[in-house]
Amino acid sequence: MRHDTGGRLTRDGIRIHDTADFAGMHKAGAVAARILDEVAPHVYPGQTTAGLEAFIRGAVEESGATSATIGYKGYQHASCISVNHVVCHGIPGNKIPKWKNDTHARSDDSLIDGDILNIDVTVIVDGWFGDTSRMYVAGEPKPYAQRLMQVTHDALMIGIEAVKPGNTFGDIGHAIQSYVEGNRMSVVRDFCGHGLGRVFHAPPNVLHYGRAGSGPRLEEGMFFTIEPMVNLGRPETKVLKDEWTAITRDKSLSAQFEHSVGVTADGVEIFTLSPAGTFHPTWES
Ligand code: MF3
Ligand code: CO
Ligand code: CO
């Protein structure tokens, strides 16, 4: 029998989950992470974002999970694929926006050597949401792209290290922002992480910048994502006419990594760890 803490909400409207709920999130997170593992060998120059989406859609179906993004606010795909200066919410199958450093022409949605891309997948398993994203490279990354991906990955993990009862959400944002800006890169302000659980997007907004000690206090049983977007140039973004694709205003390169996590009695559980251990920018397929 489930024993529920009665769906307690904090004064900030953040849900406190119980032990059985951690198991549900662990299962959902593992499915999403495994799909991101499995798509890796399909990323190469000449592959299309539509091709990657088709693979992911099939993998979600095969796993018995449900895609959380198909039908979400009118979105029609099982993944978001954000190439180069696309910050987030890139639509697979759409034309890849032309980037200032593109060395040769691309046809529509096909990848060229040196492209970096974020693939973001959210699945629902037994009612629980698993939301994760990571970076991939088509061919060989440029050194500056490799460095951006490394700093973004490390910023996420440094943010996760700040997750423990008693710390605040501001501590997470502050840790991420200081690390990123210390590396002379910028943190996107226009998109944030979010509470999740039996819903996709719940309170609080998890900012990837901020003051230490600010914001709600972390409590055991809170579930949320941390998903910093980091730009080589300025932090400002704009959304294209398709009403989803967000790009950097200055056309600088952008990267993102995302984990779904839960606050435990003495720290954090990462629900979306890679079963293959490939959640890392230096991993090569
Ligand atoms: N997975 C994204 C997030 O991290 C949300 C994508 S919503 C979609 O919150 F509709 F664009 F897919
Ligand atoms: Co998310
Ligand atoms: Co996501």
Side-chain angles (χ1 to χ4, degrees):
M1 244 244 279
R2 141 176 303 272
H3 99 87
D4 217 324
T5 41
R8 180 166 84 83
L9 297 182
T10 68
R11 56 201 285 176
D12 301 292
I14 305 168
R15 185 166 297 282
I16 303 300
H17 300 85
D18 64 25
T19 313
D21 300 341
F22 276 80
M25 287 298 285
H26 180 88
K27 259 181 85 177
V31 170
R34 186 171 48 72
I35 292 169
L36 289 190
D37 285 351
E38 290 171 355
V39 75
H42 299 271
V43 177
Y44 46 77
Q47 175 64 282
T48 63
T49 56
L52 296 171
E53 160 69 12
F55 174 83
I56 289 163
R57 195 181 278 247
V60 172
E61 271 164 27
E62 237 172 76
S63 75
T66 304
S67 166
T69 53
I70 298 174
Y72 177 77
K73 294 187 177 173
Y75 196 78
Q76 295 184 1
H77 310 274
S79 64
C80 295
I81 304 182
S82 304
V83 182
N84 293 336
H85 67 300
V86 178
V87 172
C88 62
H89 301 164
I91 301 176
N94 279 19
K95 193 170 167 39
I96 295 171
K98 186 174 164 43
W99 182 42
K100 62 176 182 182
N101 289 12
D102 281 352
T103 45
H104 44 292
R106 72 175 80 236
S107 62
D108 297 334
D109 67 333
S110 69
L111 299 170
I112 59 179
D113 185 52
D115 279 344
I116 65 167
L117 50 147
N118 175 277
I119 303 182
D120 190 335
V121 170
T122 310
V123 296
I124 313 171
V125 178
D126 300 334
W128 295 99
F129 285 68
D131 184 4
T132 182
S133 80
R134 61 178 97 148
M135 297 301 295
Y136 301 82
V137 186
E140 279 300 310
K142 296 281 186 291
Y144 58 83
Q146 183 67 39
R147 210 178 139 253
L148 169 67
M149 292 190 293
Q150 186 71 51
V151 167
T152 308
H153 171 273
D154 294 350
L156 167 60
M157 300 318 288
I158 284 166
I160 291 175
E161 279 171 27
V163 178
K164 56 170 175 244
N167 276 4
T168 69
F169 280 94
D171 291 329
I172 300 172
H174 179 73
I176 292 170
Q177 181 180 18
S178 335
Y179 181 75
V180 169
E181 292 178 355
N183 281 282
R184 310 184 64 80
M185 299 177 191
S186 69
V187 173
V188 169
R189 314 289 207 267
D190 301 337
F191 300 92
C192 55
H194 48 94
L196 85 173
R198 271 192 275 252
V199 292
F200 197 170
H201 292 105
N205 287 333
V206 180
L207 307 182
H208 304 111
Y209 59 93
R211 269 182 308 111
S214 68
R217 216 159 268 293
L218 298 169
E219 290 181 41
E220 181 179 0
M222 290 179 173
F223 297 163
F224 52 89
T225 72
I226 307 179
E227 47 182 299
M229 286 139 276
V230 175
N231 300 345
L232 278 183
R234 293 195 48 81
E236 291 80 11
T237 68
K238 77 170 184 193
V239 176
L240 300 184
K241 285 201 180 62
D242 62 27
E243 293 183 4
W244 285 103
T245 311
I247 64 169
T248 53
R249 277 196 177 268
D250 65 2
K251 304 280 178 75
S252 68
L253 201 60
S254 187
Q256 178 179 29
F257 282 84
E258 173 177 26
H259 271 315
S260 298
V261 306
V263 184
T264 63
D266 56 0
V268 64
E269 178 177 349
I270 303 176
F271 298 126
T272 45
L273 286 176
S274 161
T278 52
F279 187 89
H280 200 271
T282 56
W283 177 78
E284 289 173 19
S285 52

